[in-house]
Amino acid sequence: MNASQDTDPRQDAILSPYDGSLVGHMPVSEEADVEQAILTAEKGFDMMRKLPRFVRADILDRTADLIEARKDEFVRLIAAEAGKPLYDARGEISRSLLNLRGAAREARAFGGQEVPLDIDGAVFEYQTASADGSPLDLAEADLATLNGLGRRIGIARRFPIGPILAITPFNFPLNLVLHKLAPAFAVGNSVILKPAPQTPLTSRLLAEVMFEAGLPQEALTVVHCDVPLAEKLVRDDRIAMVTFTGSVPVGWHIKSLSGKKKVSLELGGNGAVVVSDDADIPFAAARCVRGGVVYGGQYCIGVQRIFVHEKVYDAFEKELVARVEACKVGNPMEEGVDVGPVIDERSAMRIESWINEAVEQGARVLTGGTRDHAVIAPTVLTDTKPDMKVEADEIFGPVVTLTKVKDADEGVRRAADSRFGLQGGFFTNDMKAAFRALEDWDVGALMINDVPIYRIDTMPFGGWKDSGLGREGTRYAMDSMTDIKFLVINYG
C-alpha cells in the first residue's frame, strides 16, 4: 500500500487512548502489499541514490515548510491518536522541523574524506616501485626520485546502502519517524515505514506532505501490517537495514531475525537521576517532574529512578511531591493538561499492577498510585528495592521512585547498577564528580544539572547494554545508513 493511496478495503479504526473516540481509519497492508512495498523500495533506491544532494536537501526543507504551515493539523492529530498533551505535541513539531532542516543542511555537506597514504617510510618503500618497476631503496633515493614517486591519493566516499525498513513507536509519531526518514533520504536511500499500530495516521499525513514536497512516490511506502508480515520484512534480504525504536524485547527479537543486514536499535531504559547535596533543589525537582510524569511518562529517556543525597532528601521529597500533585491531569486535547492517558488501558493496567506489587513488597506511595481507565495518576514511590519491577524494568508510565543515599557516589553506583544504559541525569556543581560519573556510569549520554529526557535531535543518541545498538541523531544516522567505498589513485 503506497501511503498516498487508500484503496485497501480492510480498515483499522484508530481510537483516542483518552476516551476511545474515533480518530480515523487506516488501511491494512496484506502480504501482496508488503511484497509490492519491497519492489517499490528497490525502484525508489535507484532513483534516490542518483539525485543530486541539493534535490534531496530541498525536499527536506520543503517538507519542513509544509509541516510548519499545517502545524495545527499535525498537533491535533498527534494529540488525538497518541494521547499527547497539546503542549508536548507542539514541542514535537518544533523538534521535527529542526530534524528536517538539520538533515537538509547535512545532505548538502555530507561526503567522504582523504585518507593519507604516505605516512610511513618502511611501508612506503615496500609498497612503492621505482619508475622501471624495480623495488625502491629509500637509502639510495634522492629528493628528485621521491618527488616522482608515491603520488597516491586515497578517498573514502560514503554511498547509500539500499532500501531501509523503519519501525517506529507511538510516543513520538512524527519526530521519531523523521529520525529515520530524514537521514535516510538525505543520503539517498528509500524507506519502507512500519509505524506503530496505535499511531499510523500521523505517518500517513507525513508521507502525503513529503510527496507534496517533491519526494518520489517510490522512495517511501507506509505499511500498516500485522506482526508476522513485519517480521517477513525484517527477514527479507532485499532490505539493506532495519532501524527500530521501541521496546527492549521486541528490539532484540528483531535483531535475531535480521540476518546479515545492518540493524540500529533505539530501545528503552529505566532512566536514573542523582541529586547531590549541592544541587538546586527546586530546579532539580521541577525537571524530575517534567522528565518523569509529563505525557504519562512515556519516554524511553524519562526519569524513573531518583537517588537523592541524604542531606537534602527531605527538602527534595517535599518539593517533588508538591510539584507532581500540581500537574494537571485529563484530556490531552485541552490546553494546559500535563498528563493525559497512557497509550491504552491495557498498558495502564500493567502500570497499576506494578505499583500495587511494589506496595505489597514494602514500597510506600507518596502521591498518586490510582488509575482511571487509561489515565494513571502521577505517582511517587519510596522505599523501593532494586529488584522491584518499578526499579528494575522500564515502567513507561508516570511513576518515579525516590531513594535516599548517603552521598552522590552511592547514587551513581545505584543508578549505574542496571541492565539498561540509555541516558542519565546528575545534579551537581562538582565537575570532578561529573567526569568521574561518566567513566563509571555506562549510558549513551549523561546530563549534568538536568534530567535524561533532555535531547536535541542533532545529538548522538543511543544506549549501552540492553538499551540499544548504534546511534541516531542526524549525522550519526546518516553514517549508519551509508557505507564506504575507498578509491586509491596512483598519479605518479
Side-chain angles (χ1 to χ4, degrees):
M1 178 198 70
N2 189 282
S4 64
Q5 298 173 335
D6 199 22
T7 59
D8 193 313
R10 292 183 57 201
Q11 303 277 321
D12 264 353
I14 307 303
L15 306 179
S16 162
Y18 178 69
D19 59 12
S21 61
L22 179 67
V23 181
H25 289 90
M26 184 71 182
V28 177
S29 299
E30 299 183 326
E31 189 163 7
D33 302 308
V34 169
E35 174 61 24
Q36 184 58 50
I38 298 172
L39 297 175
T40 299
E42 289 183 311
K43 293 178 183 177
F45 174 59
D46 285 338
M47 297 176 67
M48 291 295 290
R49 69 194 300 190
K50 296 171 184 175
L51 288 179
R53 286 178 172 84
F54 76 87
V55 174
R56 300 195 299 263
D58 286 349
I59 290 169
L60 295 170
D61 274 332
R62 283 195 297 268
T63 299
D65 293 342
L66 290 168
I67 291 174
E68 191 167 32
R70 300 171 66 174
K71 179 178 179 178
D72 289 345
E73 180 182 0
F74 273 95
V75 164
R76 297 199 69 82
L77 180 55
I78 291 169
E81 72 171 347
K84 178 170 286 192
L86 293 171
Y87 176 84
D88 294 294
R90 293 187 184 105
E92 181 169 352
I93 299 297
S94 297
R95 289 183 58 188
S96 298
L97 299 179
L98 171 68
N99 206 339
L100 283 160
R101 289 168 177 153
R105 287 192 298 271
E106 290 288 356
R108 299 179 197 278
F110 189 74
Q113 67 184 79
E114 179 185 349
V115 179
L117 303 176
D118 52 346
I119 59 175
D120 183 89
V123 174
F124 182 90
E125 182 180 51
Y126 175 68
Q127 293 280 18
T128 304
S130 299
D132 61 1
S134 61
L136 173 68
D137 185 349
L138 277 180
E140 298 181 0
D142 56 20
L143 290 178
T145 300
L146 290 175
N147 282 335
L149 296 172
R151 291 293 195 273
R152 286 182 173 85
I153 184 171
I155 303 173
R157 293 183 60 189
R158 301 200 75 94
F159 290 84
I161 57 176
I164 290 174
L165 173 61
I167 304 176
T168 57
F170 69 81
N171 57 335
F172 285 84
L174 181 63
N175 194 42
L176 288 187
V177 170
L178 285 171
H179 267 283
K180 303 176 188 308
L181 268 57
F185 297 147
V187 298
N189 293 305
S190 59
V191 178
I192 299 171
L193 170 62
K194 196 280 182 194
Q198 305 95 330
T199 56
L201 301 178
T202 303
S203 288
R204 183 172 65 178
L205 180 58
L206 171 63
E208 292 171 1
V209 167
M210 297 199 89
F211 296 143
E212 184 181 347
L215 183 73
Q217 294 273 333
E218 296 83 358
L220 173 61
T221 304
V222 180
V223 292
H224 176 65
C225 64
D226 59 18
V227 171
L229 284 180
E231 290 184 346
K232 184 176 181 180
L233 280 168
V234 171
R235 292 188 180 96
D236 198 293
D237 289 337
R238 292 170 291 182
I239 302 296
M241 178 180 181
V242 179
T243 173
F244 171 81
T245 299
S247 73
V248 172
V250 174
W252 294 113
H253 176 63
I254 284 172
K255 185 175 184 298
S256 74
L257 301 177
S258 61
K260 298 177 181 179
K261 60 179 64 65
K262 280 190 172 185
V263 176
S264 173
L265 302 176
E266 196 272 275
L267 308 179
N270 58 349
V273 170
V274 178
V275 181
S276 185
D277 60 341
D278 66 347
D280 181 331
I281 298 304
F283 177 73
R287 292 298 290 160
C288 284
V289 172
R290 174 72 194 163
V293 304
V294 171
Y295 183 42
Q298 295 172 119
Y299 294 87
C300 59
I301 48 177
V303 175
Q304 184 171 328
R305 300 172 297 146
I306 307 172
F307 301 97
V308 183
H309 195 296
E310 62 184 8
K311 290 182 180 178
V312 295
Y313 177 88
D314 291 341
F316 184 88
E317 178 188 293
K318 182 179 179 181
E319 189 78 27
L320 181 76
V321 170
R323 289 179 179 272
V324 167
E325 291 177 343
C327 289
K328 184 177 179 181
V329 181
N331 186 346
M333 304 299 291
E334 295 179 0
E335 296 289 353
V337 168
D338 299 303
V339 182
V342 293
I343 195 61
D344 52 40
E345 191 165 0
R346 183 178 64 177
S347 297
M349 293 172 66
R350 175 192 58 78
I351 295 165
E352 180 186 39
S353 73
W354 285 20
I355 295 170
N356 293 339
E357 181 180 289
V359 171
E360 291 169 2
Q361 295 173 352
R364 289 188 296 118
V365 177
L366 296 178
T367 188
T370 59
R371 177 179 69 87
D372 181 7
H373 299 288
V375 177
I376 294 287
T379 301
V380 180
L381 297 172
T382 191
D383 296 339
T384 57
K385 299 294 187 291
D387 59 349
M388 292 180 180
K389 289 177 184 175
V390 293
E391 278 203 35
D393 297 317
E394 182 181 36
I395 196 162
F396 221 63
V399 180
V400 298
T401 66
L402 189 58
T403 302
K404 183 189 298 184
V405 292
K406 65 181 177 61
D407 54 30
D409 287 342
E410 182 188 351
V412 170
R413 286 195 300 272
R414 289 285 302 273
D417 184 17
S418 171
R419 64 189 180 94
F420 302 111
L422 198 46
Q423 295 197 163
F426 187 9
F427 286 87
T428 182
N429 292 309
D430 183 347
M431 290 301 103
K432 290 183 179 179
F435 278 100
R436 287 197 302 269
L438 186 61
E439 294 176 357
D440 298 333
W441 191 351
D442 290 335
V443 285
L446 180 60
M447 307 302 153
I448 303 302
N449 291 319
D450 214 334
V451 290
I453 204 171
Y454 182 82
R455 180 182 181 185
I456 302 298
D457 298 281
T458 53
M459 289 165 44
F461 181 78
W464 289 53
K465 299 183 281 190
D466 267 4
S467 287
L469 181 69
R471 290 293 180 270
E472 289 196 344
T474 313
R475 179 64 187 236
Y476 306 93
M478 290 167 69
D479 282 341
S480 72
M481 293 174 174
T482 56
D483 216 336
I484 292 172
K485 295 181 182 179
F486 192 62
L487 181 70
V488 178
I489 299 174
N490 182 355
Y491 62 99

